[in-house]
Amino acid sequence: MSLRSRGTDLGSKSAVSRKWAFLLCVGSFCLGMLFTNRMWAVPEPKGISRTAGIEDGKQKLVSEGCNPKLSQRDEKAKPKDIIGEVSKTHHAIQVLDKTISNLEMELAAARAAQESIANGSPVSDELEITESTVKRKYLMVVGINTAFSSRKRRDSVRATWMPQGDKRKKLEEEKGIIIRFVIGGILDRAIEAEDRKHGDFLRLEHVEGYLELSAKTKTYFATAVALWDADFFVKVDDDVHVNIATLGATLARHRSNPRVYIGCMKSGPVLAQKGVRYHEPEYWKFGEEGNKYFRHATGQLYAISKDLATYISINQHVLHKYANEDVSLGSWFIGLDVEHIDDRRLCCGTPPDCEWKAQAGNICIASFDWSCSGICKSVERIKEVHRRCGEGENALWTAVF
């Protein structure tokens, strides 16, 4: 074979190989495209159009709060809902706190009663009250401060504003009002005989004496709160006229306040000079000479709520006693969250003052003479005060507290 023919054969083979190479490339590309489409194509579910998918998306957005109109309404409603929930939670906390406070007070009162029994307190006769009586709720306990030598004053009170016998029992059972003469516990035959006749004494573990009135006040409240479950505890002197129904109605209006201190609030001068009435031996504690006392209720009549009486009972051993019992009581509440209520009906004058007020429809709760710190010559005059300034017996029995 010649060289020319061999060259022709080689050229034809080269042309064929280039053609097959091109076809192979094209075939590979097509196969690659087909393979890629099958691997990455995401088939759409049958029967669901793209429009439906878009609508579903809108519904989802609306349900998630992305609708502008609904979102605005929700944003307005949310603060109200939050405030309401916070208010409910705050109220629940207050109720729980009050419940815990009441339980603590009752526990402390029970402990005080146990201590009185363990110490051989002379109030054991009162503590022999039946269980049903102890659990009963009373409106108020009125303690009339008296002394061994004040038999005539006590009789004058019994003859005027203090119900006797069955009426006193009715007052306790129907109106929830306890009234007792408060006296120290030293044995005295005359007092024993008087108590057997009337049964209206509360005997304290206390030694009587004018300079011991602050101690007597502490012991009275501690003893009374251990004996009776009452909303209020009242102290009044035995030479003061009291309208019981008006007093009860006044106190009942303050039942919602757990710590209330009610009386004729005053702020008299601190008397540093020795030998004068109401001399204050600890005058230097009240600042410069000529200063006045802090505001406190005058001693003729005042009332405190159960929580405050329990506070005195719990802390009686550390509460300081000043020379004047009304100052002492006021000092015990300094620094406490206590509402002071100044009610001038608790310190009316004797006729014609209390009479004019009664005629005007503003019946006084208590009447006395400031010059005598009580009704002057009360044994002779209290009947007249009762006749002219008394609320009338029917007022007590028709009253609803």
Side-chain angles (χ1 to χ4, degrees):
M1 183 179 291
S2 64
L3 290 172
R4 189 171 186 174
S5 61
R6 289 179 62 185
T8 305
D9 291 341
L10 289 170
S12 63
K13 288 181 180 179
S14 177
V16 171
S17 62
R18 283 198 297 269
K19 187 186 293 183
W20 278 109
F22 175 77
L23 290 174
L24 285 172
C25 288
V26 170
S28 298
F29 176 77
C30 292
L31 287 172
M33 290 295 294
L34 178 64
F35 178 76
T36 303
N37 288 339
R38 286 192 175 185
M39 289 296 295
W40 296 103
V42 181
E44 293 185 0
K46 294 182 180 180
I48 302 178
S49 65
R50 294 183 61 85
T51 305
I54 294 171
E55 291 297 325
D56 288 344
K58 289 183 178 179
Q59 290 176 0
K60 185 177 180 181
L61 289 174
V62 170
S63 67
E64 292 178 354
C66 293
N67 186 304
K69 294 181 180 179
L70 290 177
S71 179
Q72 289 176 0
R73 287 201 296 268
D74 290 345
E75 289 300 323
K76 291 179 180 178
K78 281 181 181 178
K80 293 182 180 179
D81 293 341
I82 293 171
I83 292 172
E85 291 300 321
V86 170
S87 178
K88 288 178 182 179
T89 304
H90 182 64
H91 177 70
I93 292 171
Q94 285 183 324
V95 171
L96 181 61
D97 184 58
K98 186 176 181 181
T99 302
I100 294 171
S101 177
N102 289 338
L103 289 173
E104 289 176 344
M105 290 293 186
E106 289 175 8
L107 179 61
R111 285 174 178 169
Q114 277 187 330
E115 288 178 4
S116 296
I117 297 171
N119 294 333
S121 171
V123 302
S124 57
D125 291 340
E126 289 285 1
L127 288 170
E128 290 175 1
I129 303 171
T130 62
E131 185 178 353
S132 60
T133 305
V134 172
K135 290 182 178 179
R136 174 171 176 175
K137 187 75 175 178
Y138 293 93
L139 170 64
M140 63 181 177
V141 175
V142 180
I144 307 172
N145 184 41
T146 191
F148 290 106
S149 60
S150 300
R151 172 65 187 266
K152 290 183 178 180
R153 284 188 179 182
R154 291 191 292 273
D155 286 341
S156 68
V157 170
R158 294 184 181 115
T160 52
W161 61 267
M162 180 180 180
Q164 293 297 295
D166 292 338
K167 288 185 177 180
R168 184 167 62 84
K169 293 180 181 179
K170 181 181 178 182
L171 184 67
E172 296 177 4
E173 294 172 0
E174 295 186 6
K175 304 301 179 182
I177 299 174
I178 304 288
I179 305 178
R180 295 288 189 275
F181 286 105
V182 182
I183 198 166
I186 295 178
L187 294 177
D188 183 274
R189 290 185 179 180
I191 294 294
E192 293 290 341
E194 189 179 349
D195 195 18
R196 284 194 298 270
K197 180 179 179 180
H198 297 284
D200 55 6
F201 278 95
L202 173 60
R203 305 289 294 275
L204 305 178
E205 188 178 4
H206 170 75
V207 178
E208 290 289 334
Y210 180 78
L211 296 178
E212 297 298 325
L213 286 178
S214 294
K216 185 177 182 179
T217 300
K218 279 201 299 185
T219 306
Y220 159 61
F221 285 124
T223 303
V225 79
L227 290 173
W228 295 289
D229 181 13
D231 292 321
F232 298 96
F233 294 85
V234 181
K235 177 264 176 182
V236 60
D237 290 338
D238 61 5
D239 56 355
V240 174
H241 179 268
V242 180
N243 283 318
I244 292 293
T246 308
L247 173 61
T250 300
L251 296 183
R253 289 196 291 270
H254 299 288
R255 270 179 165 147
S256 60
N257 191 332
R259 293 175 298 278
V260 62
Y261 172 35
I262 306 172
C264 276
M265 299 295 166
K266 66 174 185 177
S267 179
V270 179
L271 302 178
Q273 185 179 353
K274 292 183 179 180
V276 300
R277 192 179 185 186
Y278 305 128
H279 165 63
E280 178 56 72
E282 297 179 89
Y283 62 89
W284 61 274
K285 289 185 177 180
F286 298 92
E288 300 300 326
E289 186 174 348
N291 280 359
K292 292 185 176 182
Y293 287 111
F294 42 80
R295 193 71 62 178
H296 62 278
T298 186
Q300 284 80 5
L301 188 151
Y302 46 73
I304 61 174
S305 57
K306 178 184 176 181
D307 279 11
L308 294 184
T310 305
Y311 170 80
I312 293 173
S313 175
I314 296 170
N315 300 285
Q316 58 182 309
H317 301 299
V318 296
L319 294 176
H320 185 69
K321 303 185 295 292
Y322 289 100
N324 301 300
E325 52 100 5
D326 53 354
V327 173
S328 295
L329 184 72
S331 72
W332 299 337
F333 302 146
I334 293 292
L336 299 184
D337 185 14
V338 175
E339 181 179 0
H340 290 57
I341 296 177
D342 181 22
D343 193 332
R344 309 315 290 182
R345 294 176 302 154
L346 274 74
C347 54
C348 295
T350 55
D353 180 51
C354 58
E355 186 176 22
W356 289 342
K357 290 175 180 176
Q359 290 172 355
N362 188 24
I363 297 176
C364 293
I365 296 172
S367 301
F368 57 89
D369 298 307
W370 282 105
S371 59
C372 297
S373 296
I375 299 174
C376 298
K377 298 181 180 179
S378 64
V379 174
E380 294 83 11
R381 295 185 57 231
I382 195 169
K383 286 186 178 180
E384 178 194 0
V385 175
H386 185 65
R387 179 179 60 83
R388 297 172 65 178
C389 300
E391 60 196 353
E393 187 174 357
N394 289 335
L396 180 58
W397 303 117
T398 57
V400 178
F401 304 118

